[in-house]
Amino acid sequence: MTETASGGSGKEPGDRGRTSIADGVVEKIAGLAAREVVGVHAMGSGSGLSRTFGAVRDRVPGGQKAGVSRGVKAEVGETQTALDLEIVVDYGVSIRDVARAVRENVISAVERMTGLEVVEVNIAVSDVKLPDEPDEEPESRLQ
């Protein structure tokens, strides 16, 4: 997002200058908002092995992406943004209801915090977490 205003005596001090919001900022906001929804087990790739490697990669200093933005891709324009999310849901929940709640929470958080208009939130459900499956989060070897 970019806001531009020319300096002049008629402008308020807060309206002079530009504000840009990086894609990664919107991705983090959306990732956190999606995780708040009951029924979302994890974000990102669906296979347990992929989630495990992703969790390990997130813990490595200098890793590619912070864990909060895993499974989120944002395209940010001057006044609008579009988001793609990949989620893993808990077994037994209504996928339709979870997707709707994720969409609502993400749109609300992103629009409130950035001022950008969210034009679409596409959600891909890549896996279902079964009750008898162990959590894929590896234990840290560091103490």
Side-chain angles (χ1 to χ4, degrees), residues 23 27 65 69-75 82-86:
D23 293 2
E27 289 169 356
K65 251 187 172 185
S69 59
R70 186 173 13 142
V72 182
K73 177 68 180 133
E75 289 182 44
L83 296 151
D84 295 318
L85 282 73
E86 186 176 0

Side-chain angles (χ1 to χ4, degrees), residues 4-141:
T4 307
S6 58
S9 59
K11 299 284 184 185
E12 294 291 322
D15 293 335
R16 298 180 196 172
R18 277 174 46 128
T19 303
S20 334
I21 300 174
D23 293 2
V25 172
V26 175
E27 289 169 356
K28 284 184 179 182
I29 294 167
L32 288 170
R35 282 175 174 78
E36 292 174 350
V37 175
V38 174
V40 173
H41 178 75
M43 300 289 296
S45 182
S47 76
L49 188 59
S50 294
R51 286 199 307 264
T52 300
F53 285 130
V56 170
R57 183 182 59 240
D58 292 341
R59 290 184 177 158
V60 173
Q64 288 179 319
K65 251 187 172 185
V68 295
S69 59
R70 186 173 13 142
V72 182
K73 177 68 180 133
E75 289 182 44
V76 180
E78 298 234 352
T79 60
Q80 297 178 325
T81 187
L83 296 151
D84 295 318
L85 282 73
E86 186 176 0
I87 66 173
V88 176
V89 298
D90 291 320
Y91 176 79
V93 300
S94 165
I95 294 174
R96 173 179 260 168
D97 292 345
V98 170
R100 181 179 298 121
V102 166
R103 224 174 248 111
E104 289 172 356
N105 209 39
V106 166
I107 290 170
S108 173
V110 170
E111 288 185 345
R112 178 178 46 81
M113 292 183 70
T114 67
L116 294 167
E117 176 191 5
V118 178
V119 294
E120 68 181 11
V121 177
N122 299 310
I123 299 173
V125 179
S126 58
D127 200 2
V128 174
K129 166 67 171 69
L130 300 175
D132 58 348
E133 284 181 327
D135 283 336
E136 268 72 15
E137 292 296 316
E139 292 187 29
S140 175
R141 298 185 312 178

